[in-house]
Amino acid sequence: MFRLFRRIRKEILLGKTTRRYLGYAVGELILVVVGILIALQINNWNEERIEQQQIAEFAHALIKDLQRDLDMAQIIRVEIDLLISKIDALATYVENRPFEALRNIDLFYLMRTPFYRPYSWNRTALEQIKNSGSLRQMTNRQLAEKISAYEAFTYHLEGDFDSDRTIGNKSIDLAGTVIDMNYPGVFQNFPVGQLEYFSFPNSPIHDVYKDTNLSLLTDDKEEIKVVVNSYLVLGSYYGIRPRAEIEMPKLVADAQELIAMLKEEYPD
């Protein structure tokens, strides 16, 4: 009896109808799997398209931020060049004159505000790129690396600025011990943030205060030389001079290169 049942079961399993059913089932299963894989691929493509579109929007915003950085850097470069010109002229002025020929107004102009304005980086787009993970998703890895390098260089310049400001504060404190800075309304007539150009000895300050006679606070030229030395440290190759001759040109070149690469990678 059991042999009969086994034979009947075997015939059923091997029958054409059953094999056809199993074939259909396997085929449907393959179609379902293929459909799922296609749907997943389409979803991945769609997500990739959306991500790349978002990156492109960030890239266009970064271009605008970099252009603003260039405008800011141009102003700071002018101020650094002015400060270097003043320091160079200060050293020559004091070295080539006897004490009796040193004038308070001249030293006031040459020692006034040994600073340049702080950097005001435009980092909104860059922060969006970093926080969204878009920097890692950029297909152009060289571009992503240059963006990171540019950001690192801006922080390096901020560190340089802090160092320059520390030396400048020391210099202006020393200047206050040898020259009289009490020219009336000087901050109203010549705001610190106002962009200036080097003009000596016929500067706007000289014109405004030509009838204001203030005297030096010292009668010892050696004391003035001590102050000048502090300014020379600020203006040396360990001070601000590399900003003008090396670092600011590098910043401009890097920003321009980044703008060109971003425009090529993500055209409008």
Side-chain angles (χ1 to χ4, degrees):
M1 181 66 69
F2 290 111
R3 289 182 180 179
L4 177 61
F5 287 151
R6 282 198 298 269
R7 182 170 59 83
I8 293 172
R9 185 177 62 180
K10 183 177 181 181
E11 289 176 355
I12 293 173
L13 290 174
L14 296 177
K16 293 181 179 179
T17 301
T18 303
R19 288 198 298 269
R20 187 179 298 116
Y21 172 77
L22 290 174
Y24 287 148
V26 171
E28 289 180 0
L29 179 60
I30 293 174
L31 288 175
V32 170
V33 172
V34 171
I36 292 173
L37 291 176
I38 292 174
L40 289 174
Q41 186 62 46
I42 291 174
N43 184 64
N44 290 338
W45 285 339
N46 189 50
E47 289 183 356
E48 177 69 17
R49 180 183 61 81
I50 294 173
E51 289 173 354
Q52 291 302 316
Q53 182 178 357
Q54 183 67 74
I55 293 173
E57 292 177 1
F58 288 152
H60 297 155
L62 180 56
I63 289 172
K64 294 179 180 179
D65 283 351
L66 289 169
Q67 290 171 334
R68 295 188 188 99
D69 283 355
L70 286 173
D71 294 338
M72 176 266 297
Q74 182 179 9
I75 295 174
I76 291 180
R77 173 65 190 272
V78 170
E79 293 184 348
I80 292 175
D81 286 342
L82 169 66
L83 184 50
I84 290 174
S85 297
K86 281 187 174 182
I87 292 172
D88 290 345
L90 173 64
T92 301
Y93 177 84
V94 172
E95 184 67 25
N96 294 339
R97 283 172 174 77
F99 177 82
E100 294 75 17
L102 300 179
R103 298 197 306 160
N104 192 83
I105 186 62
D106 292 339
L107 292 178
F108 173 74
Y109 173 73
L110 294 175
M111 292 182 180
R112 178 177 179 264
T113 59
F115 311 110
Y116 56 93
R117 70 186 63 192
Y119 301 100
S120 54
W121 306 109
N122 298 275
R123 292 192 173 117
T124 301
L126 181 56
E127 290 300 321
Q128 289 175 331
I129 291 174
K130 290 167 51 184
N131 294 336
S132 66
S134 298
L135 197 62
R136 296 189 301 272
Q137 296 165 352
M138 285 185 171
T139 55
N140 188 333
R141 297 314 304 163
Q142 182 184 18
L143 175 58
E145 290 170 0
K146 285 188 177 294
I147 291 174
S148 295
Y150 177 83
E151 181 190 27
F153 190 59
T154 63
Y155 282 111
H156 166 77
L157 287 175
E158 286 185 358
D160 288 343
F161 172 83
D162 292 339
S163 176
D164 297 339
R165 179 57 64 98
T166 298
I167 300 174
N169 283 328
K170 176 183 177 182
S171 299
I172 198 69
D173 287 344
L174 288 172
T177 66
V178 297
I179 61 175
D180 191 340
M181 298 184 177
N182 294 310
Y183 289 93
V186 65
F187 293 110
Q188 289 74 27
N189 295 324
F190 304 99
V192 174
Q194 179 177 298
L195 190 62
E196 298 181 28
Y197 293 91
F198 181 69
S199 177
F200 183 79
N202 300 314
S203 73
I205 284 182
H206 285 79
D207 292 338
V208 170
Y209 297 111
K210 61 183 178 181
D211 297 325
T212 303
N213 296 316
L214 298 181
S215 301
L216 294 172
L217 302 181
T218 180
D219 55 4
D220 187 349
K221 186 176 180 180
E222 294 303 314
E223 291 183 0
I224 295 177
K225 285 186 175 182
V226 170
V227 180
V228 172
N229 285 341
S230 179
Y231 281 81
L232 289 176
V233 170
L234 177 61
S236 71
Y237 281 100
Y238 297 98
I240 62 173
R241 206 168 292 267
R243 309 302 170 259
E245 298 181 6
I246 300 173
E247 293 176 329
M248 296 306 290
K250 172 177 168 52
L251 174 73
V252 170
D254 288 351
Q256 290 174 338
E257 182 183 16
L258 262 180
I259 289 172
M261 293 180 68
L262 287 164
K263 287 183 175 180
E264 181 178 0
E265 189 75 16
Y266 304 100
D268 293 331

Short mmCIF file of all heavy atoms in Angstrom, two decimals, residues 85-139:
data_model
loop_
_atom_site.label_atom_id
_atom_site.label_comp_id
_atom_site.label_asym_id
_atom_site.label_seq_id
_atom_site.Cartn_x
_atom_site.Cartn_y
_atom_site.Cartn_z
N SER A 85 54.13 100.37 3.96
CA SER A 85 54.71 101.64 3.49
C SER A 85 54.98 102.58 4.65
O SER A 85 56.02 103.25 4.70
CB SER A 85 53.75 102.30 2.49
OG SER A 85 53.60 101.51 1.34
N LYS A 86 54.06 102.64 5.60
CA LYS A 86 54.25 103.51 6.76
C LYS A 86 55.44 103.05 7.60
O LYS A 86 56.25 103.88 8.06
CB LYS A 86 52.98 103.53 7.62
CG LYS A 86 51.88 104.43 7.10
CD LYS A 86 50.75 104.49 8.12
CE LYS A 86 49.69 105.49 7.72
NZ LYS A 86 48.62 105.58 8.74
N ILE A 87 55.55 101.76 7.83
CA ILE A 87 56.64 101.24 8.66
C ILE A 87 57.98 101.48 7.98
O ILE A 87 58.96 101.89 8.64
CB ILE A 87 56.42 99.75 8.94
CG1 ILE A 87 55.20 99.56 9.86
CG2 ILE A 87 57.66 99.13 9.59
CD1 ILE A 87 54.78 98.12 10.06
N ASP A 88 58.06 101.25 6.69
CA ASP A 88 59.32 101.50 5.96
C ASP A 88 59.69 102.98 6.02
O ASP A 88 60.86 103.33 6.24
CB ASP A 88 59.18 101.05 4.51
CG ASP A 88 59.12 99.53 4.37
OD1 ASP A 88 59.46 98.83 5.34
OD2 ASP A 88 58.73 99.06 3.28
N ALA A 89 58.68 103.83 5.84
CA ALA A 89 58.93 105.27 5.89
C ALA A 89 59.31 105.71 7.31
O ALA A 89 60.16 106.60 7.48
CB ALA A 89 57.70 106.04 5.42
N LEU A 90 58.71 105.10 8.32
CA LEU A 90 59.03 105.42 9.71
C LEU A 90 60.50 105.11 10.02
O LEU A 90 61.20 105.94 10.63
CB LEU A 90 58.12 104.62 10.64
CG LEU A 90 58.42 104.72 12.14
CD1 LEU A 90 58.23 106.14 12.65
CD2 LEU A 90 57.53 103.74 12.92
N ALA A 91 60.97 103.96 9.59
CA ALA A 91 62.35 103.57 9.84
C ALA A 91 63.31 104.55 9.18
O ALA A 91 64.30 104.99 9.80
CB ALA A 91 62.60 102.16 9.35
N THR A 92 63.03 104.91 7.94
CA THR A 92 63.89 105.86 7.22
C THR A 92 63.84 107.25 7.84
O THR A 92 64.87 107.93 7.99
CB THR A 92 63.45 105.94 5.74
OG1 THR A 92 63.53 104.63 5.16
CG2 THR A 92 64.33 106.89 4.96
N TYR A 93 62.63 107.66 8.21
CA TYR A 93 62.44 109.00 8.78
C TYR A 93 63.25 109.17 10.06
O TYR A 93 63.97 110.18 10.23
CB TYR A 93 60.95 109.20 9.06
CG TYR A 93 60.59 110.51 9.72
CD1 TYR A 93 60.43 111.67 8.95
CD2 TYR A 93 60.41 110.60 11.09
CE1 TYR A 93 60.07 112.87 9.56
CE2 TYR A 93 60.06 111.79 11.70
CZ TYR A 93 59.90 112.93 10.93
OH TYR A 93 59.57 114.12 11.53
N VAL A 94 63.16 108.23 10.97
CA VAL A 94 63.85 108.35 12.26
C VAL A 94 65.36 108.19 12.08
O VAL A 94 66.16 108.89 12.73
CB VAL A 94 63.30 107.31 13.26
CG1 VAL A 94 64.14 107.30 14.54
CG2 VAL A 94 61.84 107.61 13.58
N GLU A 95 65.77 107.30 11.22
CA GLU A 95 67.20 107.03 11.03
C GLU A 95 67.93 108.21 10.41
O GLU A 95 69.08 108.50 10.76
CB GLU A 95 67.37 105.78 10.14
CG GLU A 95 68.81 105.35 9.95
CD GLU A 95 69.43 104.84 11.24
OE1 GLU A 95 68.68 104.37 12.13
OE2 GLU A 95 70.67 104.92 11.36
N ASN A 96 67.28 108.93 9.51
CA ASN A 96 67.95 109.98 8.73
C ASN A 96 67.82 111.38 9.31
O ASN A 96 68.27 112.34 8.69
CB ASN A 96 67.41 109.99 7.29
CG ASN A 96 67.76 108.71 6.54
OD1 ASN A 96 68.69 108.00 6.91
ND2 ASN A 96 67.03 108.44 5.47
N ARG A 97 67.22 111.51 10.50
CA ARG A 97 67.00 112.84 11.05
C ARG A 97 67.56 112.95 12.46
O ARG A 97 67.44 112.02 13.25
CB ARG A 97 65.49 113.18 11.09
CG ARG A 97 64.92 113.56 9.72
CD ARG A 97 63.40 113.70 9.80
NE ARG A 97 62.87 114.21 8.54
CZ ARG A 97 62.73 113.48 7.45
NH1 ARG A 97 63.07 112.20 7.47
NH2 ARG A 97 62.25 114.01 6.34
N PRO A 98 68.11 114.12 12.78
CA PRO A 98 68.48 114.36 14.18
C PRO A 98 67.21 114.54 14.99
O PRO A 98 66.12 114.80 14.45
CB PRO A 98 69.29 115.66 14.11
CG PRO A 98 68.81 116.34 12.88
CD PRO A 98 68.47 115.27 11.91
N PHE A 99 67.33 114.42 16.28
CA PHE A 99 66.14 114.50 17.13
C PHE A 99 65.39 115.81 16.92
O PHE A 99 64.15 115.84 16.92
CB PHE A 99 66.55 114.36 18.60
CG PHE A 99 65.38 114.50 19.53
CD1 PHE A 99 64.56 113.42 19.79
CD2 PHE A 99 65.11 115.72 20.16
CE1 PHE A 99 63.47 113.55 20.64
CE2 PHE A 99 64.01 115.85 21.00
CZ PHE A 99 63.19 114.76 21.25
N GLU A 100 66.13 116.90 16.73
CA GLU A 100 65.49 118.22 16.60
C GLU A 100 64.59 118.31 15.36
O GLU A 100 63.68 119.16 15.31
CB GLU A 100 66.55 119.31 16.53
CG GLU A 100 67.37 119.49 17.80
CD GLU A 100 68.39 118.37 17.98
OE1 GLU A 100 68.67 117.67 16.97
OE2 GLU A 100 68.89 118.18 19.10
N ALA A 101 64.84 117.46 14.38
CA ALA A 101 64.06 117.51 13.14
C ALA A 101 62.86 116.58 13.17
O ALA A 101 62.06 116.56 12.21
CB ALA A 101 64.96 117.17 11.95
N LEU A 102 62.70 115.81 14.23
CA LEU A 102 61.56 114.90 14.34
C LEU A 102 60.32 115.68 14.76
O LEU A 102 60.35 116.43 15.73
CB LEU A 102 61.85 113.80 15.36
CG LEU A 102 63.05 112.89 15.07
CD1 LEU A 102 63.21 111.87 16.19
CD2 LEU A 102 62.90 112.19 13.73
N ARG A 103 59.24 115.49 14.01
CA ARG A 103 58.01 116.22 14.32
C ARG A 103 56.94 115.26 14.84
O ARG A 103 56.80 114.14 14.36
CB ARG A 103 57.48 116.92 13.08
CG ARG A 103 58.42 117.99 12.49
CD ARG A 103 57.66 118.91 11.55
NE ARG A 103 56.95 118.16 10.51
CZ ARG A 103 55.93 118.64 9.80
NH1 ARG A 103 55.48 119.86 10.05
NH2 ARG A 103 55.37 117.91 8.86
N ASN A 104 56.18 115.73 15.81
CA ASN A 104 55.14 114.90 16.41
C ASN A 104 54.11 114.47 15.36
O ASN A 104 53.67 113.31 15.34
CB ASN A 104 54.46 115.67 17.54
CG ASN A 104 53.57 114.77 18.39
OD1 ASN A 104 54.04 114.10 19.30
ND2 ASN A 104 52.27 114.74 18.10
N ILE A 105 53.70 115.39 14.49
CA ILE A 105 52.67 115.09 13.50
C ILE A 105 53.14 114.00 12.54
O ILE A 105 52.38 113.14 12.11
CB ILE A 105 52.25 116.37 12.74
CG1 ILE A 105 51.06 116.07 11.80
CG2 ILE A 105 53.41 116.96 11.99
CD1 ILE A 105 49.80 115.62 12.49
N ASP A 106 54.44 114.05 12.19
CA ASP A 106 54.98 113.03 11.28
C ASP A 106 54.95 111.65 11.93
O ASP A 106 54.51 110.67 11.32
CB ASP A 106 56.42 113.38 10.89
CG ASP A 106 56.50 114.62 10.01
OD1 ASP A 106 55.47 114.97 9.39
OD2 ASP A 106 57.58 115.23 9.95
N LEU A 107 55.44 111.58 13.16
CA LEU A 107 55.45 110.29 13.85
C LEU A 107 54.03 109.82 14.16
O LEU A 107 53.75 108.61 14.13
CB LEU A 107 56.26 110.40 15.14
CG LEU A 107 57.77 110.63 14.96
CD1 LEU A 107 58.46 110.78 16.31
CD2 LEU A 107 58.39 109.46 14.19
N PHE A 108 53.14 110.75 14.44
CA PHE A 108 51.75 110.38 14.68
C PHE A 108 51.16 109.71 13.44
O PHE A 108 50.50 108.65 13.53
CB PHE A 108 50.93 111.61 15.06
CG PHE A 108 49.45 111.34 15.16
CD1 PHE A 108 48.94 110.64 16.24
CD2 PHE A 108 48.58 111.76 14.17
CE1 PHE A 108 47.58 110.38 16.34
CE2 PHE A 108 47.22 111.51 14.26
CZ PHE A 108 46.72 110.80 15.35
N TYR A 109 51.38 110.30 12.29
CA TYR A 109 50.86 109.72 11.04
C TYR A 109 51.48 108.35 10.77
O TYR A 109 50.77 107.39 10.42
CB TYR A 109 51.12 110.66 9.87
CG TYR A 109 50.76 110.04 8.54
CD1 TYR A 109 49.43 109.89 8.17
CD2 TYR A 109 51.74 109.60 7.66
CE1 TYR A 109 49.08 109.31 6.95
CE2 TYR A 109 51.41 109.01 6.44
CZ TYR A 109 50.08 108.88 6.10
OH TYR A 109 49.75 108.29 4.90
N LEU A 110 52.79 108.24 10.96
CA LEU A 110 53.48 106.99 10.62
C LEU A 110 53.24 105.88 11.64
O LEU A 110 53.33 104.69 11.29
CB LEU A 110 54.98 107.26 10.49
CG LEU A 110 55.40 108.18 9.34
CD1 LEU A 110 56.89 108.48 9.40
CD2 LEU A 110 55.03 107.57 7.99
N MET A 111 52.91 106.26 12.87
CA MET A 111 52.68 105.24 13.91
C MET A 111 51.21 104.98 14.17
O MET A 111 50.87 104.04 14.90
CB MET A 111 53.36 105.66 15.21
CG MET A 111 54.87 105.67 15.16
SD MET A 111 55.57 106.13 16.78
CE MET A 111 57.33 106.05 16.44
N ARG A 112 50.34 105.76 13.59
CA ARG A 112 48.91 105.64 13.88
C ARG A 112 48.35 104.32 13.33
O ARG A 112 48.65 103.91 12.23
CB ARG A 112 48.17 106.83 13.26
CG ARG A 112 46.66 106.79 13.46
CD ARG A 112 46.01 108.03 12.89
NE ARG A 112 44.56 107.99 13.05
CZ ARG A 112 43.72 107.57 12.11
NH1 ARG A 112 44.19 107.18 10.92
NH2 ARG A 112 42.41 107.56 12.33
N THR A 113 47.51 103.68 14.15
CA THR A 113 46.75 102.47 13.79
C THR A 113 47.59 101.45 13.00
O THR A 113 47.41 101.29 11.80
CB THR A 113 45.49 102.84 12.96
OG1 THR A 113 45.87 103.54 11.78
CG2 THR A 113 44.54 103.66 13.79
N PRO A 114 48.52 100.77 13.67
CA PRO A 114 49.32 99.74 12.99
C PRO A 114 48.55 98.43 12.82
O PRO A 114 48.98 97.37 13.26
CB PRO A 114 50.51 99.57 13.94
CG PRO A 114 49.95 99.84 15.28
CD PRO A 114 48.90 100.91 15.09
N PHE A 115 47.37 98.54 12.21
CA PHE A 115 46.49 97.38 12.06
C PHE A 115 45.91 97.33 10.66
O PHE A 115 45.93 98.32 9.92
CB PHE A 115 45.32 97.45 13.06
CG PHE A 115 45.72 97.74 14.47
CD1 PHE A 115 45.41 98.96 15.06
CD2 PHE A 115 46.41 96.79 15.21
CE1 PHE A 115 45.78 99.24 16.36
CE2 PHE A 115 46.78 97.06 16.53
CZ PHE A 115 46.47 98.28 17.09
N TYR A 116 45.43 96.17 10.30
CA TYR A 116 44.56 96.04 9.13
C TYR A 116 43.28 95.35 9.60
O TYR A 116 43.27 94.70 10.63
CB TYR A 116 45.23 95.25 8.00
CG TYR A 116 45.72 93.87 8.38
CD1 TYR A 116 44.92 92.74 8.19
CD2 TYR A 116 46.99 93.67 8.92
CE1 TYR A 116 45.36 91.48 8.52
CE2 TYR A 116 47.44 92.39 9.26
CZ TYR A 116 46.62 91.30 9.07
OH TYR A 116 47.07 90.05 9.40
N ARG A 117 42.22 95.55 8.87
CA ARG A 117 40.92 95.06 9.35
C ARG A 117 40.88 93.53 9.38
O ARG A 117 41.55 92.86 8.60
CB ARG A 117 39.79 95.59 8.46
CG ARG A 117 39.73 95.01 7.07
CD ARG A 117 38.67 95.74 6.26
NE ARG A 117 39.00 97.13 6.11
CZ ARG A 117 38.14 98.06 5.65
NH1 ARG A 117 36.92 97.72 5.30
NH2 ARG A 117 38.53 99.33 5.55
N PRO A 118 40.09 92.97 10.30
CA PRO A 118 40.00 91.51 10.38
C PRO A 118 39.32 90.92 9.15
O PRO A 118 38.53 91.59 8.47
CB PRO A 118 39.17 91.27 11.65
CG PRO A 118 38.40 92.54 11.83
CD PRO A 118 39.27 93.64 11.31
N TYR A 119 39.64 89.67 8.88
CA TYR A 119 39.01 88.98 7.76
C TYR A 119 37.52 88.75 8.05
O TYR A 119 37.14 88.49 9.18
CB TYR A 119 39.68 87.64 7.50
CG TYR A 119 41.16 87.75 7.19
CD1 TYR A 119 42.11 87.50 8.18
CD2 TYR A 119 41.59 88.09 5.92
CE1 TYR A 119 43.47 87.60 7.91
CE2 TYR A 119 42.95 88.19 5.64
CZ TYR A 119 43.88 87.95 6.64
OH TYR A 119 45.22 88.05 6.36
N SER A 120 36.71 88.86 7.03
CA SER A 120 35.28 88.58 7.17
C SER A 120 34.90 87.56 6.11
O SER A 120 34.33 87.89 5.07
CB SER A 120 34.45 89.86 7.01
OG SER A 120 34.76 90.51 5.78
N TRP A 121 35.27 86.30 6.38
CA TRP A 121 35.05 85.24 5.39
C TRP A 121 33.56 84.97 5.21
O TRP A 121 32.77 85.08 6.14
CB TRP A 121 35.74 83.95 5.85
CG TRP A 121 37.18 84.12 6.17
CD1 TRP A 121 37.76 84.09 7.41
CD2 TRP A 121 38.25 84.38 5.25
NE1 TRP A 121 39.11 84.30 7.30
CE2 TRP A 121 39.44 84.48 5.99
CE3 TRP A 121 38.31 84.52 3.86
CZ2 TRP A 121 40.67 84.72 5.40
CZ3 TRP A 121 39.53 84.76 3.27
CH2 TRP A 121 40.70 84.86 4.03
N ASN A 122 33.22 84.61 3.99
CA ASN A 122 31.84 84.23 3.67
C ASN A 122 31.78 82.70 3.62
O ASN A 122 32.09 82.08 2.60
CB ASN A 122 31.43 84.84 2.33
CG ASN A 122 31.46 86.35 2.36
OD1 ASN A 122 30.50 86.98 2.77
ND2 ASN A 122 32.58 86.94 1.96
N ARG A 123 31.39 82.09 4.75
CA ARG A 123 31.48 80.64 4.89
C ARG A 123 30.11 79.95 4.89
O ARG A 123 30.03 78.77 5.20
CB ARG A 123 32.22 80.29 6.19
CG ARG A 123 33.70 80.67 6.18
CD ARG A 123 34.41 80.03 7.36
NE ARG A 123 35.85 80.22 7.31
CZ ARG A 123 36.56 80.88 8.20
NH1 ARG A 123 35.97 81.45 9.22
NH2 ARG A 123 37.88 80.98 8.08
N THR A 124 29.05 80.66 4.57
CA THR A 124 27.71 80.06 4.63
C THR A 124 27.59 78.84 3.72
O THR A 124 27.19 77.76 4.16
CB THR A 124 26.64 81.10 4.24
OG1 THR A 124 26.72 82.22 5.13
CG2 THR A 124 25.26 80.48 4.33
N ALA A 125 27.94 79.01 2.46
CA ALA A 125 27.83 77.89 1.51
C ALA A 125 28.78 76.76 1.88
O ALA A 125 28.42 75.58 1.76
CB ALA A 125 28.11 78.39 0.09
N LEU A 126 29.97 77.11 2.32
CA LEU A 126 30.94 76.09 2.69
C LEU A 126 30.44 75.25 3.87
O LEU A 126 30.59 74.02 3.88
CB LEU A 126 32.28 76.73 3.03
CG LEU A 126 33.43 75.79 3.41
CD1 LEU A 126 33.68 74.78 2.31
CD2 LEU A 126 34.69 76.59 3.70
N GLU A 127 29.83 75.90 4.85
CA GLU A 127 29.28 75.17 5.99
C GLU A 127 28.13 74.27 5.55
O GLU A 127 27.97 73.15 6.06
CB GLU A 127 28.81 76.14 7.07
CG GLU A 127 29.93 76.88 7.79
CD GLU A 127 30.89 75.92 8.48
OE1 GLU A 127 30.42 74.92 9.06
OE2 GLU A 127 32.11 76.18 8.45
N GLN A 128 27.31 74.73 4.62
CA GLN A 128 26.22 73.90 4.11
C GLN A 128 26.76 72.67 3.39
O GLN A 128 26.23 71.56 3.55
CB GLN A 128 25.34 74.73 3.15
CG GLN A 128 24.51 75.79 3.84
CD GLN A 128 23.75 76.66 2.85
OE1 GLN A 128 24.18 76.87 1.73
NE2 GLN A 128 22.62 77.17 3.28
N ILE A 129 27.81 72.87 2.62
CA ILE A 129 28.42 71.75 1.90
C ILE A 129 28.97 70.72 2.89
O ILE A 129 28.79 69.51 2.73
CB ILE A 129 29.53 72.26 0.97
CG1 ILE A 129 28.93 73.05 -0.20
CG2 ILE A 129 30.38 71.11 0.43
CD1 ILE A 129 29.95 73.72 -1.08
N LYS A 130 29.63 71.19 3.94
CA LYS A 130 30.21 70.28 4.93
C LYS A 130 29.13 69.58 5.75
O LYS A 130 29.18 68.36 5.93
CB LYS A 130 31.15 71.05 5.85
CG LYS A 130 32.43 71.53 5.19
CD LYS A 130 33.15 72.55 6.04
CE LYS A 130 33.37 72.10 7.46
NZ LYS A 130 34.00 73.14 8.29
N ASN A 131 28.16 70.34 6.25
CA ASN A 131 27.15 69.77 7.14
C ASN A 131 26.22 68.79 6.42
O ASN A 131 25.68 67.87 7.06
CB ASN A 131 26.32 70.89 7.78
CG ASN A 131 27.15 71.77 8.71
OD1 ASN A 131 28.18 71.34 9.23
ND2 ASN A 131 26.72 73.00 8.92
N SER A 132 26.02 68.99 5.14
CA SER A 132 25.14 68.11 4.38
C SER A 132 25.85 66.86 3.87
O SER A 132 25.21 65.95 3.34
CB SER A 132 24.55 68.86 3.17
OG SER A 132 25.58 69.20 2.24
N GLY A 133 27.17 66.81 4.04
CA GLY A 133 27.93 65.68 3.52
C GLY A 133 28.23 65.78 2.04
O GLY A 133 28.75 64.84 1.44
N SER A 134 27.89 66.93 1.45
CA SER A 134 28.08 67.09 0.00
C SER A 134 29.55 67.05 -0.41
O SER A 134 29.87 66.65 -1.53
CB SER A 134 27.45 68.42 -0.46
OG SER A 134 26.06 68.41 -0.22
N LEU A 135 30.42 67.47 0.50
CA LEU A 135 31.84 67.47 0.16
C LEU A 135 32.33 66.05 -0.12
O LEU A 135 33.13 65.84 -1.03
CB LEU A 135 32.64 68.10 1.30
CG LEU A 135 34.07 68.55 0.99
CD1 LEU A 135 34.07 69.63 -0.08
CD2 LEU A 135 34.75 69.06 2.24
N ARG A 136 31.82 65.09 0.64
CA ARG A 136 32.21 63.69 0.44
C ARG A 136 31.56 63.10 -0.80
O ARG A 136 32.05 62.11 -1.36
CB ARG A 136 31.82 62.85 1.66
CG ARG A 136 32.55 63.22 2.94
CD ARG A 136 32.29 62.20 4.03
NE ARG A 136 30.87 62.09 4.33
CZ ARG A 136 30.24 62.85 5.21
NH1 ARG A 136 30.90 63.79 5.87
NH2 ARG A 136 28.95 62.69 5.43
N GLN A 137 30.43 63.68 -1.24
CA GLN A 137 29.69 63.14 -2.36
C GLN A 137 30.10 63.74 -3.71
O GLN A 137 29.58 63.33 -4.75
CB GLN A 137 28.19 63.36 -2.14
CG GLN A 137 27.65 62.62 -0.93
CD GLN A 137 26.28 63.11 -0.51
OE1 GLN A 137 25.78 64.10 -1.03
NE2 GLN A 137 25.68 62.41 0.44
N MET A 138 31.02 64.72 -3.67
CA MET A 138 31.46 65.31 -4.93
C MET A 138 32.21 64.28 -5.76
O MET A 138 33.11 63.59 -5.26
CB MET A 138 32.36 66.53 -4.66
CG MET A 138 31.61 67.76 -4.21
SD MET A 138 32.71 69.20 -4.06
CE MET A 138 31.49 70.48 -3.78
N THR A 139 31.85 64.18 -7.02
CA THR A 139 32.52 63.22 -7.90
C THR A 139 33.93 63.66 -8.26
O THR A 139 34.80 62.83 -8.50
CB THR A 139 31.69 63.02 -9.18
OG1 THR A 139 31.47 64.30 -9.81
CG2 THR A 139 30.34 62.39 -8.86
#
